[in-house]
Amino acid sequence: RLMRAPTALVFFLVLTIGRGQAWISGGRTAADLVNNLEMKTGIPRQVAEALRRVDRANYCRSSRGAYDDRPQSIGFGATISAPHMHAHALSILEPW
């Protein structure tokens, strides 16, 4: 039997917040964003250092919300991935 929408939403939020990932790591500045990713997701130090070297606002259509931990429009129907996804990808590549 399918879950009702509110139940499914609560289930999703519990899983997401429980993992300390998406949608809760944003900040008002680039530094805030990376600091929150470090605290809430435990990304490796080297990944945090790499993220600090790139200002996400340079790649978003608008600087408003550039440091939210969510995908952002970059125009032409495309988006830049959420910062926690970049951190995850870099974490996988970090040993290389």
Side-chain angles (χ1 to χ4, degrees), residues 21 37 41 43-44 47 51 82-94:
Q21 293 183 6
L37 282 169
T41 66
I43 59 174
V47 170
L51 291 173
H84 73 274
M85 294 303 296
H86 290 277
H88 178 71
L90 288 170
S91 295
I92 292 170
L93 294 172
E94 193 246 339

Side-chain angles (χ1 to χ4, degrees), residues 4 10 33 36 39 51 61 64 68 76 78-79 95-96:
R4 292 187 315 209
V10 170
L33 171 63
N36 288 335
M39 288 187 328
L51 291 173
R61 290 184 83 183
R64 181 178 175 181
D68 292 345
F76 305 102
T79 59
W96 299 93

